[in-house]
């Protein structure tokens, strides 16, 4: 017995040496921007002209690789931000995402704080680095009253993305199939769809409801053209149902893409409501739609792109329009510079404070490692 136990321990510790290997990874990014915003006359007294948002993120993971196509990995991402108009991290100015990923010849399983299956497979208008078309950072410079998450206020009177992000990074389990004829499918289940990075207001009656999502992705090559497409569907119990579709075409540095999203309620869902202390139609995103389109070009260290995003809510005057021209120049493998200009118009509020429009001229620096 005295010899047996040390022998078992030795064998267990020796298995990884022959059966596989441990691995780990650390990466991150940080950026800081300065923007000057010029509003239309009646808005100038209500919104500041100078903005300096900044963000830092660290991505860490560690795991074990059993073979070339089978592994398990624990990931933890940390975020911190300041000067943002819409605080969309888990705890406001800072947050975390913890998740486990299991890869095998039979597909990929994710458990933890990840975005849903439809979001993960979605394609659409191209981004220029940190200048996304969906959940646009332009709102940090031209504040959107229709999208609010700051201090004790939370309101999404329209959807802020053509990707299905209602439940955002609420803890969930997802499965992605292996690729079959350039096609992948994915499915997600979220026990509680509320997340402070998502659209659901914690003061609503549907903040502790479950959510299901499914996505489909396809990639094809036609000569010198590469075409990506996606479809998505989500059922948010007692909240809403959503569908999405996206298409992206790439050729020799040029990328043209766009996507569409529709969110709607049925007779079994709760009605739109305004809780005490919340903005009018704070949950208008539940009956709304959005689309985006964009064109980008990458040549050497320079990437430039123009995009358009629009959203509106049914049976209301809530509307959003954002036009962005962004440029990213990689001056070093770890450092990039940004120059951008944008115009935004947000409407639908009952008072002047609930509407806004204007221009923004933005420069910034981003570091990656």
């Amino acid at each position: 017995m005295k010899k047996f136990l040390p022998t078992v321990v030795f064998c267990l510790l020796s298995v990884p040496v022959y059966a596989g290997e441990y691995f780990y990874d650390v990466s991150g990014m940080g950026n800081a921007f300065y923007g000057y915003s010029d509003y239309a006359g009646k808005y100038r007294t209500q919104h500041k002209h100078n903005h300096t948002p900044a963000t830092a993120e660290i991505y860490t993971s560690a795991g074990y690789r059993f073979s070339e196509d089978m592994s398990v990995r624990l990931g933890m991402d940390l975020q911190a931000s300041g000067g943002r108009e819409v605080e969309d991290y888990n705890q406001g100015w800072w947050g975390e995402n913890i998740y486990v990923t299991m890869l095998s010849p039979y597909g990929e399983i994710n458990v933890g704080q990840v975005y849903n299956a439809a979001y993960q497979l979605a394609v659409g208008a191209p981004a220029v680095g940190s200048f996304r078309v969906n959940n646009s950072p332009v709102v940090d410079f031209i504040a959107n009253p229709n999208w609010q998450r700051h201090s004790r206020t939370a309101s999404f009177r329209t959807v802020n993305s053509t990707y299905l992000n209602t439940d955002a990074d609420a803890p969930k389990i997802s499965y992605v199939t292996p690729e079959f004829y350039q096609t992948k499918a994915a499915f997600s289940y979220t026990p509680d769809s509320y997340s402070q990075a998502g659209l659901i207001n914690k003061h609503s009656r549907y903040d502790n409801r479950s959510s299901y999502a499914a996505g489909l992705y396809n990639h094809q090559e036609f000569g010198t053209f590469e075409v990506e497409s996606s479809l998505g569907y989500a059922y948010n119990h007692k909240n809403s149902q959503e569908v999405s579709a996206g298409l992206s075409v790439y050729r020799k540095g040029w990328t043209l893409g766009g996507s569409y999203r529709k969110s709607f309620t049925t007779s079994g869902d709760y009605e739109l409501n305004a809780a005490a202390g919340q903005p009018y139609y704070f949950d208008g995103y539940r009956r709304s739609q959005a689309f985006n389109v964009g064109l980008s070009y990458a040549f050497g260290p320079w990437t430039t792109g123009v995009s358009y995003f629009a959203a509106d809510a049914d049976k209301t005057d809530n509307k959003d329009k954002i036009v962005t021209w962004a440029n990213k120049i990689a001056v070093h493998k770890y450092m990039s510079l940004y120059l951008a200009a944008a115009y935004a118009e947000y409407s639908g509020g009952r008072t002047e404070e609930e509407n806004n429009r204007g221009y923004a001229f933005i420069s910034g620096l981003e570091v990656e490692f």
Side-chain angles (χ1 to χ4, degrees):
M1 184 67 181
K2 290 183 180 179
K3 293 183 179 180
F4 177 74
L5 185 57
T7 302
V8 171
V9 173
F10 175 78
C11 291
L12 291 174
L13 293 176
S14 300
V15 169
V17 176
Y18 301 100
E21 61 178 352
Y22 292 99
F23 63 90
Y24 65 91
D25 182 66
V26 178
S27 60
M29 62 81 68
N31 58 42
F33 292 95
Y34 167 75
Y36 177 82
S37 302
D38 185 22
Y39 302 102
K42 64 179 180 179
Y43 303 102
R44 288 177 180 169
T45 60
Q46 302 181 42
H47 300 278
K48 61 182 181 181
H49 293 291
N50 298 288
H51 306 262
T52 54
T55 300
E57 300 184 8
I58 296 178
Y59 319 107
T60 65
S61 65
Y64 185 74
R65 186 174 293 108
F66 298 95
S67 64
E68 196 171 300
D69 54 4
M70 183 174 291
S71 64
V72 60
R73 177 172 64 94
L74 172 65
M76 182 171 68
D77 304 337
L78 303 175
Q79 309 101 12
S81 66
R84 299 187 60 166
E85 291 294 329
V86 180
E87 299 172 358
D88 58 358
Y89 292 127
N90 302 342
Q91 284 81 29
W93 286 8
W94 67 277
E96 87 291 323
N97 294 84
I98 302 174
Y99 51 91
V100 175
T101 300
M102 291 166 280
L103 294 173
S104 79
Y106 306 102
E108 175 183 329
I109 296 176
N110 292 287
V111 180
Q113 294 169 284
V114 295
Y115 278 74
N116 66 53
Y119 187 101
Q120 292 181 45
L121 298 186
V123 299
V128 178
S130 291
F131 276 84
R132 308 172 302 275
V133 182
N134 290 314
N135 194 17
S136 173
V138 169
V139 299
D140 293 329
F141 305 94
I142 309 171
N144 185 353
N146 289 330
W147 306 342
Q148 298 181 47
R149 180 176 287 111
H150 193 78
S151 186
R152 297 182 179 181
T153 300
S155 171
F156 285 95
R157 300 188 300 190
T158 57
V159 291
N160 66 343
S161 169
T162 56
Y163 299 167
L164 306 186
N165 65 338
T166 294
D167 59 343
D169 58 3
K172 60 178 61 69
I173 180 169
S174 296
Y175 169 69
V176 183
T177 68
E179 188 168 299
F180 183 72
Y181 288 106
Q182 293 79 50
T183 302
K184 290 194 290 186
F187 310 90
S188 292
Y189 166 64
T190 308
D192 182 355
S193 54
Y194 173 70
S195 166
Q196 288 193 22
L199 306 185
I200 299 175
N201 190 300
K202 65 182 178 181
H203 299 292
S204 66
R205 293 175 291 175
Y206 40 80
D207 69 328
N208 60 349
R209 301 291 176 171
S210 59
S211 178
Y212 302 84
L216 192 66
Y217 167 85
N218 179 266
H219 175 267
Q220 299 288 337
E221 294 186 13
F222 302 97
T224 58
F225 290 88
E226 295 182 28
V227 181
E228 295 178 289
S229 59
S230 67
L231 295 172
Y233 170 77
Y235 170 72
N236 306 305
H237 183 53
K238 290 292 186 179
N239 183 1
S240 65
Q241 295 183 58
E242 302 177 289
V243 293
S244 66
L247 182 69
S248 177
V249 181
Y250 171 85
R251 183 180 186 272
K252 295 184 178 180
W254 291 93
T255 303
L256 173 66
S259 53
Y260 172 79
R261 170 186 185 175
K262 172 67 176 178
S263 180
F264 58 94
T265 61
T266 60
S267 58
D269 298 325
Y270 287 120
E271 292 293 329
L272 300 187
N273 60 84
Q278 297 300 308
Y280 182 63
Y281 274 151
F282 72 82
D283 57 355
Y285 74 89
R286 298 170 59 211
R287 297 179 186 171
S288 63
Q289 48 273 320
F291 78 91
N292 64 37
V293 62
L295 176 68
S296 71
Y297 178 68
F299 179 76
W302 175 56
T303 303
T304 185
V306 61
S307 64
Y308 176 72
F309 175 93
D312 65 89
D314 296 345
K315 299 181 180 180
T316 74
D317 294 326
N318 299 339
K319 292 181 174 62
D320 308 305
K321 298 177 183 178
I322 302 176
V323 182
T324 307
W325 176 44
N327 296 271
K328 178 182 178 181
I329 303 171
V331 297
H332 187 271
K333 66 178 181 177
Y334 299 119
M335 183 182 299
S336 299
L337 301 177
Y338 285 90
L339 290 172
Y343 172 77
E345 186 174 310
Y346 320 116
S347 60
R350 294 176 296 176
T351 65
E352 187 171 295
E353 290 80 4
E354 294 180 293
N355 298 272
N356 196 9
R357 60 187 170 96
Y359 293 90
F361 304 93
I362 306 160
S363 62
L365 170 71
E366 185 169 77
V367 177
E368 300 177 87
F369 66 90

